[in-house]
Amino acid sequence: REQQLYRQIATELSWIDREENDYFIMIPKSIEEFLYEGEMQHNCVYTNGYFLGMILRQSIIVFLRKEKTKPYVTIEFDYETFEVLQAYGKFNTDIDDDLYDYIVALGKQLKYEMHSQG
């Protein structure tokens, strides 16, 4: 049941998927992708059930990658405001200020796009 609900949300949010500024910006397509991201990044995106936050429309998890299949930064945006709740590299390491500023700007752009769809 969770898998079905999650896939519905992922489909609704698929407009976020894009390639820009030498990054791949991706919505996880399945709960298994949370598991893979968590294992590769050594973070709790799967074990703490962040996919449930998406199902409940509380937050949006976005994977930022330099290479399509290699995790780089795991991002959590607020579902309504697209404010950055957290953005970490492997082992929950902080990202540099320039990348953080880019992610904040991305959130603003996504918020604009979401509201202009509505």
Side-chain angles (χ1 to χ4, degrees), residues 84-103:
V84 179
L85 300 177
Q86 48 185 336
Y88 292 111
K90 197 169 193 170
F91 295 104
N92 288 325
T93 54
D94 289 333
I95 56 176
D96 67 49
D97 290 345
D98 289 341
L99 183 53
Y100 186 81
D101 290 346
Y102 169 74
I103 292 169

Side-chain angles (χ1 to χ4, degrees), residues 19-62:
E19 186 178 347
E20 68 179 34
N21 293 2
D22 297 323
Y23 294 116
F24 295 96
I25 298 156
M26 302 161 34
I27 291 290
K29 304 294 177 272
S30 68
I31 293 173
E32 289 80 17
E33 288 188 24
F34 282 83
L35 177 61
Y36 178 76
E37 184 86 357
E39 288 177 347
M40 295 290 95
Q41 292 290 79
H42 300 276
N43 68 27
C44 63
V45 74
Y46 175 77
T47 55
N48 282 6
Y50 280 86
F51 54 88
L52 293 172
M54 288 181 70
I55 290 170
L56 297 172
R57 299 174 196 272
Q58 296 170 340
S59 65
I60 297 174
I61 300 298
V62 174

